[in-house]
Amino acid sequence: MIPLSLGEIAAVVDGTISGDGSVTVTAPAVLDGRQAEQGGLFVAFAGEHVDGHDYAEQAGRAGAVAVLGSRPTPLPTVVVEDAQAALQALAAHVVGRLRDGLTVVGLTGSQGKTSTKDLLAAVLSSTGPTIATAGSFNNELGVPLTMLRADAATRFLVLEMGARHVGDIAELTGLVAPDIAVVLNVGQAHLGEFGSRAAIARAKGELVQGLAPGGTAVLNADDPRVVAMRPLTDGPVLTFGRAFHADVRVHGLALDRLGRPSFTLRTADASAPVVLPHVGAHQALNASAAAAAALAAGVPLDMAAAPATASLSKWRMELRHLAGGATLLNDSYNANPDSTRAALDALAAIEGGRRIAVLGEMLELGDDSEAEHRAVGEYAASRADVVVAVGKAALPVAGGAGEQAVVAADNDAAVGWLRHHLAAGDVVLVKASRGARLDEVAAALA
């Protein structure tokens, strides 16, 4: 974050100062006082059950020198009516001051956002100082907090942008208009919130509509709903994918014995080999999206096609060899029907003995939930030898998987079954929405 005095912050957010207004904030803003850095800003929210203002002193002990909140605290505080609006205004101000020499990339999609963001950040970091969204912190609070991590040295700012309603991404691009807008896909994530895929497409299209003048849209050539966003901008468009007409094309895709992809990225006038350390054919599409965005940012193809050093955020296609000789594929961070099918394809591609899919609930599917869970169960039966459906909400998965299904009442039951039945050579996939907490199952096995 660029250094700002409390007086400057108060002027930007239309707040009043309680305490020493000469204090200068020199480190990023945080919502969790325990994560404060020396010289940082603690943003306090008064929630229904927890009041962040009560943790100001804790934040101070961790290094925070000031608070942004809705009432005074023991630390010097900028007091505002709406802490969220103030946080967003401050982020917009900071990035606005850094705009010369800063390339902003916005990235969205129903699945693959975080992995693609991780790949892109690795590529851009090899070219210049890069700030990118941590994990999946991609909402109305996460985006401004990421923006506030930028400083005068930052060359690239990569912002993952999520949405649960039409208008969410437009709100985020209102804070900063991206120079490059990457749309990965239009799937079924949050279908229950949006109501239809058409509404999801409108929401994702807001990123393209929010481009800065002359900005580049980077679109998935394999997804008709994404390609249809081309008319939403008058600026240049770059496409990626496996389609023959893609501007950045995945060619000659192959998987090794652990399901890790290798391929060639081709453009109209160049090509570059890519070998990824990450599991799943779908990672090739993510890498092509990252490469296309890097090309739009001015990175040469040989560097744009080299994300091999990227480490993905936790619980995303993590491959681990277990003590008993089995292999664990932990993709438990989140799930929807499309991402679950991609994970099941990855499971099927890994060489080994039995393939066991441990699947829990996929949230926010609305009225289609039961049918979608059953369909995933059917698909799982074609990719795995055993399908362990965890929890009551996953019972339709078992119904779809038929004779290959094992029903586990809860996570403990799933762990118990796995410990009793896992053998050397088996490959186990763990996949569900975050609310199912199947990371606990993966942790118990590791």
Side-chain angles (χ1 to χ4, degrees):
M1 181 168 167
I2 61 175
L4 291 171
S5 72
L6 231 57
E8 291 174 298
I9 293 173
V12 169
V13 302
D14 193 24
T16 59
I17 299 173
S18 172
D20 184 0
S22 67
V23 168
T24 296
V25 174
T26 58
V30 296
L31 301 183
D32 184 339
R34 296 167 296 183
Q35 298 173 353
E37 300 177 24
Q38 192 63 45
L41 178 68
F42 175 52
V43 184
F45 288 88
E48 183 178 350
H49 301 293
V50 177
D51 189 341
H53 299 82
D54 295 337
Y55 295 88
E57 289 182 298
Q58 178 192 62
R61 289 192 295 271
V65 294
V67 173
L68 176 63
S70 56
R71 63 176 173 82
T73 74
L75 292 182
T77 304
V78 175
V79 180
V80 295
E81 289 188 8
D82 185 334
Q84 177 177 306
L87 173 66
Q88 293 176 343
L90 182 61
H93 172 79
V94 167
V95 172
R97 285 181 49 174
L98 299 173
R99 216 53 177 101
D100 290 343
L102 179 67
T103 297
V104 179
V105 183
L107 188 148
T108 195
S110 294
Q111 56 268 344
K113 294 187 294 297
T114 301
S115 295
T116 304
K117 175 265 301 178
D118 292 338
L119 294 170
L120 177 58
V123 169
L124 295 179
S125 294
S126 68
T127 301
T130 300
I131 295 295
T133 302
S136 294
F137 212 20
N138 58 24
N139 62 9
E140 66 278 3
L141 298 178
V143 169
L145 287 171
T146 304
M147 293 167 64
L148 287 172
R149 288 166 49 210
D151 59 24
T154 306
R155 183 176 172 190
F156 300 106
L157 178 60
V158 182
L159 299 171
E160 180 180 327
M161 295 185 176
R164 280 184 165 80
H165 309 91
V166 171
D168 285 353
I169 292 177
E171 177 183 330
L172 299 177
T173 60
L175 304 180
V176 55
D179 302 294
I180 301 166
V182 184
V183 184
L184 296 173
N185 41 55
V186 175
Q188 295 167 281
H190 311 307
L191 183 61
E193 298 283 348
F194 283 103
S196 69
R197 273 201 171 185
I200 296 173
R202 287 197 300 274
K204 305 304 181 188
E206 291 169 4
L207 183 59
V208 178
Q209 291 172 307
L211 273 165
T216 301
V218 177
L219 304 178
N220 184 355
D222 300 341
D223 189 325
R225 290 183 175 88
V226 176
V227 174
M229 296 175 191
R230 182 185 290 266
L232 298 179
T233 178
D234 294 327
V237 174
L238 197 62
T239 60
F240 64 89
R242 300 184 69 176
F244 182 78
H245 60 274
D247 297 316
V248 180
R249 182 162 69 97
V250 174
H251 177 74
L253 176 63
L255 302 177
D256 70 7
R257 59 179 296 275
L258 293 178
R260 298 171 300 196
S262 60
F263 52 95
T264 300
L265 278 181
R266 288 186 173 178
T267 64
D269 53 8
S271 64
V274 181
V275 179
L276 293 176
H278 314 301
V279 178
H282 63 287
Q283 300 292 2
L285 184 70
N286 294 340
S288 69
L295 287 171
V299 178
L301 180 63
D302 59 341
M303 296 179 66
T309 59
S311 59
L312 302 185
S313 298
K314 68 177 182 177
W315 305 335
R316 291 169 176 83
M317 304 304 288
E318 290 181 354
L319 193 67
R320 179 175 296 187
H321 299 292
L322 303 179
T327 299
L328 170 66
L329 184 59
N330 181 3
D331 197 36
S332 61
Y333 186 82
N334 215 340
N336 60 62
D338 296 318
S339 69
T340 301
R341 289 184 176 88
L344 288 163
D345 287 342
L347 172 67
I350 299 173
E351 294 182 10
R354 292 182 306 167
R355 293 172 178 84
I356 302 172
V358 181
L359 305 178
E361 182 180 10
M362 300 175 291
L363 295 168
E364 299 178 338
L365 293 176
D367 294 340
D368 295 331
S369 180
E370 182 172 350
E372 291 293 349
H373 280 84
R374 179 174 290 275
V376 159
E378 293 173 357
Y379 193 81
S382 72
R383 293 292 185 268
D385 300 294
V386 181
V387 180
V388 181
V390 185
K392 182 178 180 180
L395 285 175
V397 171
E403 294 181 356
Q404 290 161 244
V406 171
V407 174
D410 53 28
N411 289 355
D412 289 340
V415 170
W417 187 92
L418 289 164
R419 285 177 171 165
H420 184 70
H421 289 88
L422 270 186
D426 289 348
V427 184
V428 184
L429 167 69
V430 179
K431 180 75 170 172
S433 283
R434 186 74 196 93
R437 301 187 65 85
L438 286 201
D439 59 283
E440 298 173 346
V441 175
L445 298 176

